Amino acid sequence: ADAERLARALADAGGDTMARDEVALIRRSARESRARADLVEAHLAYGRARQAFIAERLSDARTEMDAAAAAFARGGSAYRHWASIYRAIPAWIAGDAGGALGQLVSIPIDGLPVSYFHLRGRIWWTKAMALEVLGKFDVARTALEKARAAFHSAGELEYETVNTSYLATIGSFLGESQEDLSKAARSCWRSAAREEGDIGTNGPNKGGGICERTSPRLANTYVAIISRR
């Protein structure tokens, strides 16, 4: 009941609607039905995948999300698309940009509701990382801009700020002026300040703030890749 209330409140406030739609899907499935059992199984595996991902156990996360996706598909849930993202992330980290993009193209993003902001943002963000591995910075920037816009619409300030920071970095490889880069950086810091409630002369005071607090492994991989360009 609490999950349903929170999901509806989020959607009613103009936020992400994916959780609301998922609750409705579960409600429509009959008790003791195979569809209900599949969705329960899927969400348990999804939770394990999320925990593994947060702990940066990407192989475990991929395995769990693949299991979740199979059950989500049987239950008719759009959450099944997360498996492609969880396969794409370790692929681009390993330098297999083509493999990562191949996973992402399997997601019918144009057919997803516009209000599935978080899923759409993750698709664009992951696509941008893979494109950067290929040195396609101009196309990657467009993907990052779409990711940032999606996270902004979702009210997910941390992810919006991380993508703003990446946009500032990618601008240097596209020859943007220092003024443009400074504007992007200031935007990142202002967003971080709203999240942290504090800002210093050179940016957020708490260890660089959320601009630098994305997954260390992913952030370090990103920096290593673009530094070779």
Side-chain angles (χ1 to χ4, degrees), residues 40-55 57 60-65 67-68 86:
V40 169
E41 176 188 343
H43 279 284
L44 290 173
Y46 175 83
R48 292 192 296 270
R50 292 285 299 145
Q51 290 300 313
F53 186 81
I54 290 169
R57 294 185 286 108
D60 291 341
R62 179 180 55 198
T63 298
E64 291 287 1
M65 196 61 85
Y86 273 52

Side-chain angles (χ1 to χ4, degrees), residues 4 9 43 58 63 67 101 104 143 146-147 158 165 175 182-183 196 207:
E4 184 174 14
H43 279 284
L58 300 186
T63 298
L101 293 172
L104 296 174
K146 291 181 178 181
E158 180 161 356
S165 179
S182 295
K183 287 180 180 178
E196 300 282 5

Side-chain angles (χ1 to χ4, degrees), residues 104 107-113 119-120 123-124:
L104 296 174
I107 305 174
I109 189 168
D110 292 336
L112 295 174
L119 176 61
R120 294 172 70 92
I123 293 168
W124 287 116

Side-chain angles (χ1 to χ4, degrees), residues 8-83:
R8 185 181 297 116
L10 178 62
D12 290 347
D16 200 299
T17 64
M18 193 171 186
R20 180 202 63 189
D21 293 349
E22 188 70 5
V23 171
L25 176 65
I26 294 170
R27 288 287 192 195
R28 289 195 301 272
S29 64
R31 290 182 180 274
E32 309 301 328
S33 67
R34 175 67 192 198
R36 177 71 65 90
D38 283 335
L39 291 171
V40 169
E41 176 188 343
H43 279 284
L44 290 173
Y46 175 83
R48 292 192 296 270
R50 292 285 299 145
Q51 290 300 313
F53 186 81
I54 290 169
E56 300 190 38
R57 294 185 286 108
L58 300 186
S59 179
D60 291 341
R62 179 180 55 198
T63 298
E64 291 287 1
M65 196 61 85
D66 280 343
F72 278 134
R74 292 194 299 270
S77 171
Y79 274 76
R80 66 187 182 276
H81 298 307
W82 278 105

Side-chain angles (χ1 to χ4, degrees), residues 174-186:
L174 294 173
E176 293 182 354
S177 69
Q178 288 301 308
E179 181 179 359
D180 290 337
L181 294 176
S182 295
K183 287 180 180 178
R186 284 196 297 272

